[in-house]
Amino acid sequence: MSDGDSPPEEVVRWYKDHGYRFLVLSDHNVFTDPKALPASFTDSTFLLIPGEEVTSSFEKKPVHVNGLNIPGVINPQIDSTLLGTIQRNVDAIRKVNGAPHINHPNFGWAIDQATLLKVKNNNLLEIFNGHPLVHNHGGGGKPGLEEVWDFLLSSGSRMFGIAVDDAHHFKGEFGPTRANPGKGWIVARAHALDAREIIDNLEVGLFYASTGVELEDVKVEPTKMEIHIRQKSNFRYRTEFIGSGGKVLSLSVENPATFELKDERSYVRAKVVDSGGAVAWVQPVFIKQ
Ligand SMILES: [Zn+2]
């Protein structure tokens, strides 16, 4: 069972037709075996990585943890605390050599940043989720997911930020109140379309996350960070280099956008925003103290 409106074949078809090279299908507590799909859906140009949204709860609040590159279904775990519930699901995914990522912390205002900081063995955080009800931006005293990310990074966590669709609606209208595909994605560094390599690279931050801005390259040298933006028609770009506490250290309107790395900073990440409001998030570079 899926709570989306289309079967796996049609979902895979949508992503394939729109230029994606890999995809994780993550239904709630359902495992879709890529091998069960017709061979034409996964060829040398497209990889379906097996996954599941391990869907649990704590005191009626949603605790959803994606399992990436898992061998089969993982049963949702419960515990007597919020942290314990998250950790048990993370651990269940790790136990089968999958990679966990905690979904939409602000959905149902379920998972606060102090709790997230205590979770072990989770390296990926959703900083953008395309579902309309997940409160990416926070509000009313609750931090947005980028603020949460900076809190975790500033507290010494090596967390990498991902953007996802959480797509449910492939049919009917596409719009801001619908959970359509194509809203948030990642671009990973890899030599080949190999699930192990892609997931391993995600877990060490060899990727960027996007809602529409594409990058040509990210170069990190001991003294410099350089971001090459793929120019789209006459769009203009603004790049913020962000450090400890979420502080904007520098603003660039150039392409490439560059930043001199100095040794007193704990981390530097970058955010490229285009003149239409789309964003690319470059993963943090950690600087030895
Ligand atoms: Zn969810």
Side-chain angles (χ1 to χ4, degrees):
M1 273 296 288
S2 165
D3 67 337
D5 67 4
S6 300
E9 292 82 357
E10 287 174 27
V11 172
V12 170
R13 173 60 60 202
W14 191 94
Y15 284 98
K16 222 179 148 179
D17 286 350
H18 287 81
Y20 291 71
R21 303 295 305 280
F22 64 89
L23 173 71
V24 179
L25 275 181
S26 54
D27 274 311
H28 298 286
N29 300 334
V30 168
F31 178 75
T32 304
D33 189 351
K35 294 186 201 86
L37 290 176
S40 61
F41 286 100
T42 52
D43 53 31
S44 62
T45 67
F46 187 88
L47 175 70
L48 185 58
I49 298 173
E52 173 191 342
E53 184 167 350
V54 184
T55 305
S56 183
S57 63
F58 174 73
E59 292 181 345
K60 295 187 178 160
K61 295 199 169 185
V63 175
H64 299 180
V65 185
N66 260 19
L68 312 176
N69 203 24
I70 55 173
V73 73
I74 295 170
N75 292 322
Q77 308 293 308
I78 53 168
D79 191 74
S80 57
T81 65
L82 173 62
L83 176 61
T85 307
I86 301 167
Q87 192 65 61
R88 279 183 170 217
N89 285 285
V90 165
D91 293 349
I93 292 162
R94 285 283 180 213
K95 201 176 164 197
V96 294
N97 290 320
H101 78 81
I102 294 165
N103 301 112
H104 47 57
N106 281 352
F107 179 49
W109 305 110
I111 303 174
D112 60 278
Q113 60 184 18
T115 301
L116 276 175
L117 184 60
K118 292 182 192 143
V119 177
K120 293 188 174 69
N121 300 319
N122 176 71
N123 303 322
L124 301 170
L125 174 78
E126 285 182 7
I127 51 164
F128 174 89
N129 179 307
H131 196 285
L133 303 176
V134 295
H135 311 297
N136 292 323
H137 290 276
K142 299 277 191 186
L145 297 180
E146 263 197 271
E147 287 172 76
V148 170
W149 191 20
D150 282 313
F151 166 79
L152 298 174
L153 294 171
S154 304
S155 306
S157 162
R158 288 193 165 230
M159 189 66 76
F160 301 107
I162 57 175
V164 307
D165 276 343
D166 208 336
H168 291 62
H169 305 135
F170 292 79
K171 295 185 167 74
E173 189 192 353
F174 274 44
T177 60
R178 307 246 307 150
N180 301 127
K183 293 186 175 186
W185 67 87
I186 56 169
V187 177
R189 246 186 234 286
H191 294 96
L193 274 182
D194 174 75
R196 186 77 266 160
E197 187 189 358
I198 291 170
I199 299 298
D200 285 351
N201 287 355
L202 294 188
E203 293 218 89
V204 293
L206 292 175
F207 71 100
Y208 70 89
S210 179
T211 61
V213 174
E214 292 184 53
L215 304 180
E216 302 274 4
D217 201 5
V218 175
K219 290 181 182 156
V220 178
E221 294 165 17
T223 59
K224 197 168 69 169
M225 199 170 169
E226 200 172 276
I227 296 159
H228 297 253
I229 305 159
R230 187 166 294 155
Q231 180 66 46
K232 189 166 98 177
S233 62
N234 65 347
F235 276 64
R236 287 174 175 264
Y237 301 90
R238 178 168 52 84
T239 302
E240 291 177 352
F241 292 91
I242 297 166
S244 189
K247 188 173 172 227
V248 178
L249 306 169
S250 162
L251 185 69
S252 169
V253 294
E254 307 297 324
N255 185 13
T258 57
F259 183 77
E260 303 292 328
L261 295 167
K262 296 207 179 96
D263 53 10
E264 73 270 20
R265 301 186 172 103
S266 61
Y267 73 91
V268 179
R269 67 178 182 89
K271 178 183 184 179
V272 186
V273 184
D274 78 14
S275 43
V279 179
W281 290 273
V282 175
Q283 300 308 317
V285 171
F286 299 96
I287 298 152
K288 283 199 189 100
Q289 302 278 320

